Amino acid sequence: MQAPQEARRYQPSDVVDFVIVGSGAAGGVLAKELSTRGHSVVVLEQGPRRTVNDFKHDEKAIWIDGDLISKTPFSWRQKETEVAQPGAGGLLYASGVGGSSVHFTANFWRLRPVDFKEHSLLGDIPGAALADWPITYEELEPYYTKVDWEVGVSGAPGPTDARRSRPFPMPPLPVKSSGVLLERAAAKMGYHAQSAPLAIASQPFRGRPACQHCGFCIGFGCEYNAKSSSLATVIPVAEATGRCEIRPHSNVRAVELDAKGRATGVLYFDAEKREQRQRAKAVILAANGVETPRLLLMSETSRFPNGLANSSGMVGRHLMFNGAGITQGEYEHPLNEHKSVEASRVIFDLYDSDPKRGFYGGGGFDARGGAWFPLLASFNVPDGMRGWGKDWKEWFAHAYTRTMQVYGHTTSLAVASNNVTLDPTLKDDFGRPAARITYEDHPDDLATMRFFQDRSRELQEAAGAARIWGPPPTVQRGTAHLLGTARMGNDPRTSVIDRDHRTHDVRNLFLCDGSSMVTSGRGQPTMTIMALAFRAGERISKAAKRGEI
Amino acid sequence: MRSSRRDFLAALAVTGVGAFAPGMPGVREALAHAAAVRAGVAPARFDVLTAAEAAAVTAVAARIVPTTETPGATEAGVVHFIDYAFGDFAKDGLADFRAGLADLDTRATARRATATPFASLPAADQDAILADIEQTPFFGGLRAMTMMGMFTDPRYGGNRDEVGWKLIGFENAMSHTAPFGYYDAEAAKGRD
Ligand SMILES: Cc1cc2nc3c(=O)[nH]c(=O)nc-3n(C[C@H](O)[C@H](O)[C@H](O)COP(=O)(O)OP(=O)(O)OC[C@H]3O[C@@H](n4cnc5c(N)ncnc54)[C@H](O)[C@@H]3O)c2cc1C
């Protein structure tokens, strides 16, 4: 989708109402909410603007070359005492207008009431900084509903779902063979399999076509615009107001403040790598759970030696990923999981943390292909099988169409020593310090992953799998979920932003993206990130109109 | 090894693509190459590999995905993909790769006691040598490259006539319609 002809252009010297950094899941929604409420908005996006014509079925371009993903360098270590190694892990997010909502899988789960108050329910967990959210499910529910209807979600309610104020706007996508097998297994095990909620149109929706089941969702941009990315949904609405400019190839390096400690705009590098300054009455960072804290830490000044908005010392801390407990199963007949969306059925019976298990944690399952493209699938060799030669070839030729994953998506605890800091030596192309990731799953998170893998194996058995395999979960070395690094809270000593996404330290600086999340949920954070952005947009606009920014 | 999204990049490092592809490649060049391939100028010669190297690569790839009653790496033209790769995204790994190929010939010679290229050994001897090195980054990288030559889009020079996709039953279509597989088809019958 090209920017419409009439889309507004501003000069960097124009003092716009809001400059938003990042046009992803949150940034796109914020742009729409603020511009439709009458504000002037510039969105700075480091990546390019792509159209549906740029997206294609090309496994190599996406999964080997990483065509859509950010190439910004980063370093990785497990413990704060180690020296981080460049690129030693997979930090996976998309760079471009629409951000990671363009290439995500579009599994789209709401959080449940319990996610917002687990600390009250369960108390302290040793080694973790589990906290309640300053808002409840009931407060966020209207905004989840806005996401359902304005962004576009397909699904059907399940028996244990939280209250929803309106039904899904679209029926579920058709059930796949993996979904039928999961239903069968759930029935045997006393669980309930329900339709997977997806940010994918199951029927024509608000000018977009329905999903054509081509199967190229995970990691890919949708060639039909059926995936409800912010690029396909809210960004065109923002531009149609004539008040919002989306400016690609604009890589922000710092938030600028005046002598009174108010944000005056941001400094960024344009497409020619020249430094520019976009002035604004207020600044919103929506650059994701790694880039938002990195920007704050890079915005240090003599007044803020520990980074901007960091009087609490919490910026960058409590990085959460979500865990996984997975098995692969091979079945007698073809499933053809390379067709259609990843997952069509989910199980939420083990969602809540259960003290009887002896550790904190919960999750949900789906049955899916598992990025089952031919090349990626060829790397997935059953335990004990030699992955080459005649036997492997014959097995793969038979099994490719006959396998599925049962994927348990699990909680990550907030741990202070899991964090984003600035690498002391590694620099990016602009000479800025790279993000340094420190991450080691909490022991309860690893226990939860193992527990979910065991249940995953049982589900495969109950579904009749002829062969089941999958390596045991270990400390994670990569992620696509970047959460918790500028958490929301009422107490300025233990959180970075307040319940309205305003930083405790700078009155006209707001943060809204994966970094805002206080707990990780059970996977699929993006529905919540978008709902938070709808809520934040409304509240920030109201504050602006009351003269309270 | 599983291919979940969160572990895939890490998995690539383990399988050895990382060994050959330290930097991210220029996709534009890849697409230009693709266009040339599409236009019918399939590479008749090799841009990077010498004839001897191409013979060695062809031989290894043919042990990784042998030709049986069904096509294998040879029919897919895997060697052409690998030739393209070492001129493109795997450029920086070429020296290591050449060292690995030389080592194969050394091992072949050791088995025969006279100078023998790996490619001219009988299949059983080739398999024995590859089994000895199957844990090395060189083999991991070559396996990964072979898979790419079998299963990625034919625009990159491998997977000729989509033989890799046909082998495993992958249908590269712009749309599919339900039912997609056996179990959902059965379930639909039951429901109707
Ligand atoms: C392969 C894959 C599959 C996924 N599947 C799912 C799924 O099924 N369900 C789910 O809920 N989630 C999924 N996710 C995660 C989901 O994509 C993210 O949770 C979500 O997009 C995060 O939203 P965000 O607004 O925090 O950041 P993003 O969407 O990442 O947006 C941040 C934007 O900011 C830009 N930016 C960063 N730094 C700067 C800077 N300095 N200057 C200018 N711009 C900048 C980035 O380029 C990007 O466009 C998946 C992710 C991946 C990679």
Side-chain angles (χ1 to χ4, degrees):
Chain A
M1 217 168 318
Q2 283 304 342
Q5 290 275 296
E6 70 280 11
R8 183 65 184 269
R9 293 282 170 265
Y10 295 97
Q11 296 301 314
S13 56
D14 292 340
V15 183
V16 293
D17 292 335
F18 293 97
V19 62
I20 300 174
V21 180
S23 64
V29 169
L30 287 160
K32 184 250 154 198
E33 281 299 286
L34 292 168
S35 60
T36 55
R37 289 166 194 274
H39 303 283
S40 54
V41 177
V42 169
V43 181
L44 300 175
E45 166 57 50
Q46 64 179 2
R49 186 177 188 119
R50 298 186 185 86
T51 74
V52 278
N53 298 327
D54 295 320
F55 302 137
K56 45 182 83 68
H57 285 34
D58 185 343
E59 193 184 356
K60 175 181 169 293
I62 291 299
W63 281 103
I64 302 299
D65 304 344
D67 224 358
L68 300 181
I69 63 175
S70 162
K71 307 287 166 46
T72 307
F74 59 89
S75 61
W76 196 286
R77 59 184 181 177
Q78 266 179 33
K79 295 180 196 305
E80 288 182 311
T81 49
E82 294 166 9
V83 176
Q85 299 303 312
L91 195 62
L92 207 53
Y93 75 85
S95 174
V97 176
S100 311
S101 73
V102 167
H103 76 160
F104 85 144
T105 315
N107 291 307
F108 225 51
W109 304 356
R110 293 183 177 199
L111 294 190
R112 296 179 163 215
V114 63
D115 286 295
F116 296 85
K117 53 183 185 199
E118 278 187 310
H119 184 252
S120 293
L121 294 171
L122 303 168
D124 285 338
I125 307 233
L130 183 62
D132 286 351
W133 291 57
I135 58 173
T136 62
Y137 175 81
E138 283 304 320
E139 280 174 274
L140 200 54
E141 198 287 329
Y143 305 95
Y144 278 129
T145 295
K146 272 183 195 279
V147 182
D148 279 350
W149 286 84
E150 295 195 31
V151 173
V153 182
S154 301
T160 61
D161 281 9
R163 186 190 73 85
R164 51 173 61 244
S165 52
R166 276 180 88 179
F168 283 94
M170 289 177 277
L173 276 292
V175 69
K176 308 205 301 174
S177 278
S178 56
V180 170
L181 291 171
L182 195 71
E183 282 175 352
R184 192 185 281 180
K188 281 197 195 154
M189 290 177 66
Y191 303 149
H192 181 91
Q194 63 187 77
S195 300
L198 290 164
I200 295 176
S202 60
Q203 57 189 36
F205 187 71
R206 300 181 71 146
R208 294 187 289 125
C211 171
Q212 302 299 307
H213 314 293
C214 77
F216 283 72
C217 302
I218 182 166
F220 291 80
C222 179
E223 289 161 74
Y224 294 99
N225 254 346
K227 192 194 286 184
S228 303
S229 68
S230 62
L231 176 63
T233 61
V234 282
I235 286 175
V237 177
E239 290 179 315
T241 64
R243 282 184 290 271
C244 177
E245 175 184 350
I246 310 284
R247 201 178 292 160
H249 299 294
S250 302
N251 197 318
V252 176
R253 78 163 183 80
V255 179
E256 279 203 307
L257 299 190
D258 65 14
K260 291 191 226 104
R262 282 182 63 83
T264 55
V266 298
L267 292 170
Y268 70 97
F269 298 106
D270 67 13
E272 279 75 49
K273 297 199 172 183
R274 285 179 313 225
E275 189 166 276
Q276 304 281 0
R277 168 180 282 116
Q278 177 63 54
R279 305 189 60 210
K281 291 182 195 159
V283 174
I284 307 179
L285 303 186
N288 80 36
V290 164
E291 297 299 342
T292 288
R294 178 174 172 232
L295 258 174
L296 292 171
L297 296 173
M298 288 194 299
S299 298
E300 75 179 284
T301 65
S302 48
R303 263 173 300 158
F304 301 105
N306 299 323
L308 191 57
N310 196 21
S311 61
S312 61
M314 294 297 144
V315 168
R317 292 199 181 275
H318 308 129
L319 176 63
M320 300 176 289
F321 289 169
N322 294 124
I326 305 170
T327 60
Q328 194 84 28
E330 179 186 334
Y331 291 82
E332 185 183 359
H333 300 290
L335 286 69
N336 294 326
E337 287 298 305
H338 63 281
K339 299 183 182 182
S340 198
V341 299
E342 275 284 300
S344 60
R345 288 290 182 275
V346 293
I347 293 176
F348 288 135
D349 296 85
L350 304 178
Y351 195 91
D352 290 1
S353 189
D354 180 355
K356 286 203 286 291
R357 288 178 206 144
F359 48 85
Y360 163 86
F365 295 96
D366 65 39
R368 54 166 63 193
W372 206 239
F373 306 106
L375 174 60
L376 296 198
S378 74
F379 289 105
N380 193 320
V381 179
D383 303 335
M385 184 186 290
R386 170 171 276 172
W388 56 279
K390 181 169 175 286
D391 292 349
W392 174 79
K393 178 195 174 187
E394 280 169 5
W395 171 77
F396 191 53
H398 177 79
Y400 176 76
T401 54
R402 291 177 168 78
T403 81
M404 70 173 193
Q405 283 180 357
V406 175
Y407 195 132
H409 304 266
T410 59
T411 39
S412 283
L413 279 162
V415 174
S417 55
N418 286 343
N419 53 41
V420 178
T421 51
L422 299 180
D423 193 281
T425 52
L426 188 67
K427 303 275 187 268
D428 70 10
D429 288 351
F430 298 96
R432 302 175 300 188
R436 175 176 62 185
I437 309 297
T438 306
Y439 196 90
E440 183 175 24
D441 303 273
H442 187 281
D444 286 21
D445 295 344
L446 286 167
T448 303
M449 288 189 237
R450 286 191 288 269
F451 177 84
F452 273 77
Q453 190 188 40
D454 291 344
R455 302 292 85 72
S456 160
R457 196 177 300 276
E458 290 167 5
L459 284 161
Q460 299 265 24
E461 282 164 6
R467 181 202 294 266
I468 303 168
W469 71 99
T474 51
V475 172
Q476 301 191 80
R477 295 196 300 149
T479 187
H481 296 175
L482 310 169
L483 312 173
T485 48
R487 52 156 62 167
M488 196 187 234
N490 294 325
D491 186 346
R493 290 166 306 178
T494 56
S495 60
V496 180
I497 55 171
D498 69 12
R499 62 199 313 281
D500 291 343
H501 293 261
R502 193 194 298 254
T503 58
H504 292 301
D505 298 355
V506 181
R507 199 170 157 72
N508 64 339
L509 174 63
F510 299 83
L511 317 176
C512 180
D513 55 23
S515 72
S516 313
M517 291 180 69
V518 182
T519 57
S520 69
R522 273 67 178 157
Q524 328 311 357
T526 311
M527 171 42 139
T528 297
I529 293 170
M530 285 191 163
L532 288 172
F534 270 103
R535 180 175 173 278
E538 182 182 302
R539 298 177 80 87
I540 293 169
S541 171
K542 282 187 177 154
K545 287 178 179 167
R546 288 193 304 258
E548 289 172 5
I549 290 183
Chain B
M1 200 169 313
R2 67 174 168 227
S3 57
S4 75
R5 63 185 176 216
R6 74 192 172 85
D7 272 342
F8 180 66
L9 293 184
L12 278 187
V14 175
T15 52
V17 179
F20 294 151
M24 285 292 184
V27 172
R28 226 163 263 108
E29 294 86 279
L31 293 178
H33 177 88
V37 172
R38 279 257 161 95
V41 280
R45 55 177 190 88
F46 298 102
D47 292 332
V48 175
L49 302 179
T50 64
E53 286 166 349
V57 168
T58 304
V60 177
R63 299 322 306 151
I64 293 175
V65 188
T67 304
T68 53
E69 314 83 76
T70 51
T74 306
E75 292 71 28
V78 162
V79 65
H80 293 286
F81 174 87
I82 293 178
D83 181 56
Y84 145 76
F86 281 109
D88 191 79
F89 66 92
K91 214 180 257 167
D92 296 346
L94 185 58
D96 285 351
F97 172 69
R98 290 200 152 126
L101 291 182
D103 174 61
L104 285 182
D105 286 345
T106 308
R107 288 170 185 270
T109 299
R111 278 184 103 79
R112 283 296 143 101
T114 65
T116 312
F118 176 87
S120 64
L121 287 180
D125 290 298
Q126 292 178 339
D127 284 347
I129 290 175
L130 295 178
D132 285 344
I133 64 159
E134 67 181 341
Q135 299 305 329
T136 61
F138 169 73
F139 182 81
L142 206 46
R143 180 194 186 275
M145 293 276 187
T146 301
M147 295 306 146
M148 288 188 226
M150 279 303 292
F151 299 119
T152 55
D153 196 291
R155 75 180 76 185
Y156 299 108
N159 190 15
R160 288 193 166 161
D161 300 324
E162 304 186 357
V163 293
W165 291 345
K166 288 174 193 156
L167 174 70
I168 62 174
F170 169 73
E171 296 164 65
N172 185 49
M174 280 309 293
S175 67
H176 296 292
T177 40
F180 307 114
Y182 173 87
Y183 300 94
D184 50 321
E186 288 298 295
K189 276 186 221 154
R191 267 177 214 148
D192 286 348

